[in-house]
Amino acid sequence: MEMVNMIIDGGKFKVPKNFTILEATRIAGVKVPTLCNHPELRPEGNCRVCVVEVKGARSLVASCVYPVSEGMVVNTNSPAIREARRMVVELLLANHPQDCLSCQRNLHCELQTIAAEVGVRQVRFDGEKKNYPLDNSNPSLVRDQNKCIVCGRCIRACSERQGVHVYSFANRGFNTTVVPAFNQGLDKVSCTYCGQCASVCPTGAIVIKDDTAPVWQALANPAKHVVVQTAPAVRVALGEALGMPPGSVVTGKMVAALKRLGFSKVFDTNFSADLTIMEEGAEFLDRLKNGGTLPMITSCSPGWVNFAELFYPDLLDHLSTAKSPQQMFGALVKTYYAEQAKLDPANVISVSIMPCTAKKAEAIRTEMCASGYRDVDYVLTTTELAKMIQEAGIDFHFLAEENYDDPMGIATGAGVIFGASGGVMEAALRTVSELITGEELECIDFKDVRGLKGVKEATLDIGGTEVRVAVVHTLLNARKIMDKIRAGEANYHFIEIMACPGGCIGGGGQPISMTNDFRQKRIDGIYECDTKSTIRKSHLNPAIKELYTSWLGEPLGEKSHKLLHTHYHQQYRD
Amino acid sequence: MSNQCKCNCGGKSNAFTQLDEILSKYQNTKGALIPVLQEAQSAYGYLAREVVDYIAEKMNIPVSQIYGVVTFYSQFHLNPRGKNIIRVCQGTACHVRGAKAILKAVEDNLKIAAGETTSDLNFTLETVACLGACGLAPVMMVNDDTHGRLTPEGITEILDKYR
Ligand code: SF4
Ligand code: SF4
Ligand code: SF4
Ligand code: FES
């Protein structure tokens, strides 16, 4: 790598030639404040809070967009710089509704942090306050433009990462806003509810819709039997939301906390992830054998399903008809479980804890009433669960670990890896291979499909049949592969698509993390759970076997068809 | 972008013949969005949502981006325009001489807010930063006529001339 010499605050440094000044200052151990800049998005230089002095330049420069050069002399700390930064933040605060104490982002807000860091002690300007209505139009996210600092990060996340292009800057000057086309609610535009915009927003301008109130209510109602399921990716992120290092595995503590909160039964979505593999695996074999539509594409990620229904309605036949683990679980809670436990399903409330904002929208789809009731009553994100734990005064750090309840808490390592990109594919391959060959797999780690690479491919020889698979995450990558399929240029048999970067561990409902390797740490946590499992293949899960023999029948059978499979349709949003 | 028509027209032939002509004229020109919007606006009088959606689809540009462009430049209009354009000055000179009250009188008379058009499409009401006629403050223009030294009481008489 070509390097340049530069002087930062009097010290000499060699830095890569393609760095910005901001990146160079990190090497020099300086923490220049930033706001519109986000480590995973293209820098734009909108806010100017990151200004520094460059010798020879006429005015202060925005370090996040300014490239380094040979011999450059940079000063990051002078009275003029400190004053300029403070001024930027004061101007933002001048027309900001300062209701921090009741804001969802209180204590996790970058604007708050910056105000403290640059030393704002008074706001010298009393600016005109904005008065935009809330966008409460959809089940997943709430937008409050009054708290928007027009940094443009959501625009970049939605366009660069997801390729959905919901937002843009509109109007000009004081009236500049960041809005969907025609200033409509997210329910009226092609939004997938993936929540990636919320996870990059520095303030409370885009937040997760809070559904904790009805759950508290249900928990307080003695006539209700409240059952909860927890998705694989929650156990590697909940700890982070409660002050532990990124990637901490907190399965046992989480179960204990849920029991303290008053849930009657604490079950594991990993159980229904195993079930998904049974149904989706059988479906794949059926398509392979009988000339069904290929490539078959996974359908567990509701952000991805929304995307497909909005942008690729002509290709919906490619999606597996298997419901997502959340919805399979929901369909069984008020049927199978209620029967076993001799409960009236009308008194059962089914709650799920998910890393995902799109899951909230999935649960209220009209077809998700297979049990005769709403299969999943309430969906809470990891972030909302963390708030409930805090609100209840549970000291998470001192909680002793507890185990999931039987039978829907019994799961395999194949179930847990659903939480990371590549996991569904790997879990499916573990089962499908053995179903095709009838022999036990020697190596069950399909490492080619793991990790953070945007598009992963593998070709496998399964009992003499060549199977070509691909794994993609983020909707931008989904768009690329879907365009290939549409053009007839994709010769895969099976594709896994997850809407969020890194898979569910990077979902829009997860705690917001600014450390650069948090995704990898969460992924490591997921595979740690897998390796520690005694059983690591879905078809060997004893509780799943029991479910099929005693109640469900065969995969793809009549009961499965009714409860565990679904269909897709083009979405119109106007 | 999807090749599918996302509106509810059910695939009926569209009513955008003029727009198609404009679009095909600029088919191979890079950065043609602004001229296309300008010509579309002069063809249809304003940029209706359907028009913007159609341009987005045909030019393969996200509709959010076009919305951003259209709202950035004051030359573009997303709503139908009235026969008479009223522009009430909100500049400093007018402001100190009661421009707010003038605007309110016009709004009350027309029963619309600034930025809107009356339902009979007779008037569109706008505000401007300064009309450059500070000596006559407070001022408003109706089409090309300048009306100065306004009082809230005198507004009805002026507007009636355009009814
Ligand atoms: S967005 Fe941040 S600064 Fe604004 S009210 Fe919420 S917590 Fe406070
Ligand atoms: S939820 Fe996803 S698709 Fe919707 S606006 Fe946010 S980033 Fe874009
Ligand atoms: S909504 Fe949030 S991310 Fe988007 S521009 Fe406003 S402050 Fe930035
Ligand atoms: S962080 Fe550099 S301009 Fe905003």
Side-chain angles (χ1 to χ4, degrees), chain B:
Chain B
M1 291 299 102
S2 157
N3 296 331
Q4 296 278 312
C5 169
K6 270 193 265 135
C7 65
N8 288 319
C9 70
K12 284 195 295 288
S13 67
N14 65 67
F16 291 134
T17 356
Q18 251 179 307
L19 189 50
D20 280 329
E21 277 166 30
I22 298 168
L23 284 162
S24 66
K25 194 164 100 195
Y26 288 100
Q27 208 170 26
N28 300 312
T29 323
K30 261 195 117 132
L33 179 61
I34 302 266
V36 166
L37 290 170
Q38 282 166 335
E39 292 194 26
Q41 176 160 296
S42 61
Y44 297 97
Y46 70 104
L47 295 168
R49 208 169 122 189
E50 299 71 41
V51 172
V52 174
D53 283 343
Y54 192 75
I55 294 175
E57 195 189 317
K58 294 290 164 189
M59 296 186 76
N60 205 7
I61 299 173
V63 61
S64 56
Q65 277 172 27
I66 303 188
Y67 179 75
V69 169
V70 167
T71 55
F72 185 83
Y73 296 106
S74 54
Q75 57 169 299
F76 294 121
H77 306 288
L78 288 165
N79 292 305
R81 311 265 294 154
K83 203 168 93 208
N84 301 292
I85 312 291
I86 306 170
R87 296 187 294 158
V88 182
C89 183
Q90 301 291 304
T92 315
C94 290
H95 180 80
V96 289
R97 294 193 187 201
K100 279 253 149 24
I102 301 298
L103 181 62
K104 178 148 194 317
V106 180
E107 286 179 336
D108 289 349
N109 184 292
L110 299 177
K111 300 192 177 57
I112 56 171
E116 294 177 354
T117 298
T118 54
S119 53
D120 63 0
L121 294 186
N122 196 26
F123 292 104
T124 292
L125 175 59
E126 291 173 349
T127 58
V128 286
C130 185
L131 285 168
C134 307
L136 297 174
V139 195
M140 73 176 187
M141 289 189 77
V142 182
N143 308 326
D144 293 329
D145 313 334
T146 308
H147 301 271
R149 307 221 165 82
L150 298 169
T151 58
E153 298 73 36
I155 291 300
T156 310
E157 196 190 320
I158 297 174
L159 293 181
D160 281 347
K161 291 187 200 146
Y162 300 90
R163 286 198 155 105

Side-chain angles (χ1 to χ4, degrees), chain A residues 409-422:
Chain A
I410 300 172
T412 72
V416 77
I417 59 177
F418 267 58
S421 164

Side-chain angles (χ1 to χ4, degrees), chain A residues 34-37 45-48 50 62 64:
Chain A
T34 57
L35 208 42
C36 70
N37 190 60
N46 295 331
C47 76
R48 295 193 58 83
C50 66
C64 69

